[in-house]
Amino acid sequence: MPATITSIAHYFPPDVYTNHYFEQYLETSDEWITERTGIKERRFAKNGATSDLIVPAARECLQRRGMKLEDVDCIIVATVTPDHMFPATACVVQQKLGAPNAWGFDLSAACSGFLFALVTAAKLVEAGGARNVLLCGADKMSAILDFQDRAQAVLFGDGAGVALVEMSDDPELGIIDHILHIDGEGGKYLYQAAGGSAKPASYETVANREHFIHQEGQAVFKAAVKGMADVSVEIMEKNNLTKDDVDWLVPHQANLRIISATAQRMGLPMDKVMVNIDKYANTTAATIPSCLSQWWEAGKLKKGDKIILASFGAGFTWGAVYMKWSL
Ligand code: ACO
């Protein structure tokens, strides 16, 4: 019997920042951002931490399943913007939610965080190591964005998506297959230079803006187009899926051009592709679960739908998951 997603929810902070916000102080335009990325607006949290984005989504997710807090077994938080280096944000979430019997940990795989954590959670549940996992993909990207750099400030947003992973009660439905990759050679193109043990915080690292994201956009773009498209096609072929078999592609939302290129390689029309980058930008670990949650809430996602989840992010990390929706 496979593991599956038995409940899903999402949370975005209320404050909307359109592209025009950046026009006020950066040399950029709504036209450039829309054309080059597909982004029109994003949400930034004015207060609080990543755990504060997770908690409302987690409460909603558990409520939808009718699960009591005492029954939560394990909490995994996929994020690159943890509340602190330590303790783990999973511990903060456990305390804020009040889930007395849960254990848990954080997982760092940048934009592939939700996918890597989904596979981890599924295998944990299938092996009997936990009855359920509260799986949180969340990032407060505004905490590490260089708002003086037009090449990154406009790309990201804050948000959270939370899924409950349990054993499926139908052998046909759930998480069926995955292909995951990492390649440290890509590390030099997308990273946060300081604040870790390699380069502890100092006056110099702050002055040099090394606690913000460093991204070489074009190098990442090229690798993302190839990586996400290749792995998506590979998982289709491995599972004998034609383009007509696939009901939904749920791609990581970094750039609409990367998403379109992936859909094109898979032979899928855009009406089979979940896209929320226009309204929320790149929310890193939250893009995939927030899309699933929004589409499920809208009644567009049906039991039995064949779904490919695909991601690419810093590391490099990338992969795809094939699942049949069971809600
Ligand atoms: N407004 C106006 N001009 C801009 C902006 C902006 N916001 N940003 C960059 N430009 C300029 C550049 O300075 C450059 O100008 P120049 O030619 O005078 O030097 C020009 O636009 C072209 O820049 P490129 O970097 O070539 O633009 P590109 O078309 O590649 O788009 C982008 C840049 C959007 C960053 C793109 O490369 C991209 O999406 N990269 C991938 C991002 C990604 O997938 N990240 C991975 C996930 S994130 C994670 O894991 C945390």
Side-chain angles (χ1 to χ4, degrees):
M1 204 74 87
T4 193
I5 290 176
T6 55
S7 182
I8 190 131
H10 67 281
Y11 175 78
F12 292 111
D15 292 298
V16 178
Y17 293 74
T18 66
N19 291 343
H20 299 298
Y21 166 77
F22 298 99
E23 286 174 342
Q24 297 169 57
Y25 74 101
L26 286 175
E27 211 178 303
T28 188
S29 65
D30 174 44
E31 196 188 0
W32 190 96
I33 302 168
T34 307
E35 262 177 29
R36 304 308 291 161
T37 71
I39 298 165
K40 294 296 286 182
E41 58 189 53
R42 74 286 291 141
R43 309 291 181 94
F44 291 137
K46 284 192 169 153
N47 303 299
T50 296
S51 62
D52 297 304
L53 301 172
I54 293 172
V55 166
R59 287 213 175 99
E60 181 87 53
C61 180
L62 292 172
Q63 204 169 19
R64 285 177 175 170
R65 178 70 175 140
M67 184 176 282
K68 291 198 206 95
L69 284 160
E70 297 78 50
D71 293 332
V72 176
D73 253 8
C74 178
I75 299 170
I76 303 179
V77 175
T79 189
V80 287
T81 51
D83 287 22
H84 314 280
M85 285 288 280
F86 70 91
T89 303
C91 301
V92 182
V93 169
Q94 179 272 339
Q95 188 268 334
K96 284 184 177 172
L97 276 178
N101 300 314
W103 65 288
F105 55 93
D106 289 2
L107 184 150
S108 173
C111 295
S112 300
F114 183 80
L115 227 64
F116 283 26
L118 178 64
V119 172
T120 305
K123 295 300 150 197
L124 190 59
V125 165
E126 286 166 12
R131 278 169 307 151
N132 60 67
V133 176
L134 190 66
L135 173 52
C136 316
D139 273 292
K140 187 187 175 195
M141 295 306 287
S142 58
I144 58 167
L145 273 187
D146 187 345
F147 280 93
Q148 292 180 17
D149 177 3
R150 67 178 181 174
Q152 59 167 283
V154 304
L155 300 179
F156 294 91
D158 301 339
V162 176
L164 196 61
V165 177
E166 297 176 90
M167 287 304 286
S168 176
D169 53 17
D170 182 333
E172 296 294 316
L173 304 181
I175 298 148
I176 293 166
D177 197 12
H178 66 270
I179 303 172
L180 305 177
H181 295 284
I182 62 172
D183 180 4
E185 285 293 326
K188 55 184 172 286
Y189 302 117
L190 182 50
Y191 58 87
Q192 187 180 0
S197 56
K199 204 171 206 188
S202 66
Y203 287 113
E204 196 188 15
T205 61
V206 172
N208 292 338
R209 310 182 76 74
E210 290 179 290
H211 295 272
F212 297 127
I213 295 170
H214 171 92
Q215 174 169 263
E216 290 178 33
Q218 271 196 17
V220 179
F221 186 90
K222 280 185 200 148
V225 165
K226 182 167 166 32
M228 213 158 89
D230 280 357
V231 79
S232 302
V233 169
E234 192 185 343
I235 205 160
M236 280 173 75
E237 288 172 356
K238 197 173 157 211
N239 290 278
N240 298 315
L241 296 168
T242 68
K243 61 182 169 53
D244 298 322
D245 295 326
V246 177
D247 294 299
W248 294 106
L249 166 66
V250 193
H252 170 56
Q253 314 276 311
N255 189 314
L256 189 57
R257 290 182 290 144
I258 300 174
I259 295 171
S260 311
T262 302
Q264 208 170 7
R265 277 278 305 282
M266 296 168 77
L268 297 182
M270 284 306 282
D271 60 5
K272 283 188 172 188
V273 184
M274 294 189 193
V275 175
N276 70 6
I277 190 173
D278 51 334
K279 286 204 168 313
Y280 304 102
N282 181 352
T283 53
T284 304
T287 64
I288 291 175
S290 65
C291 276
L292 285 172
S293 174
Q294 288 184 311
W295 262 248
W296 180 76
E297 277 183 4
K300 292 189 250 177
L301 197 47
K302 301 274 173 355
K303 193 169 186 166
D305 276 358
K306 296 188 180 81
I307 307 175
I308 306 284
L309 315 176
S311 70
F312 191 93
F316 290 140
T317 56
W318 72 106
V321 163
Y322 168 42
M323 67 181 297
K324 286 195 202 162
W325 193 247
S326 60
L327 281 176

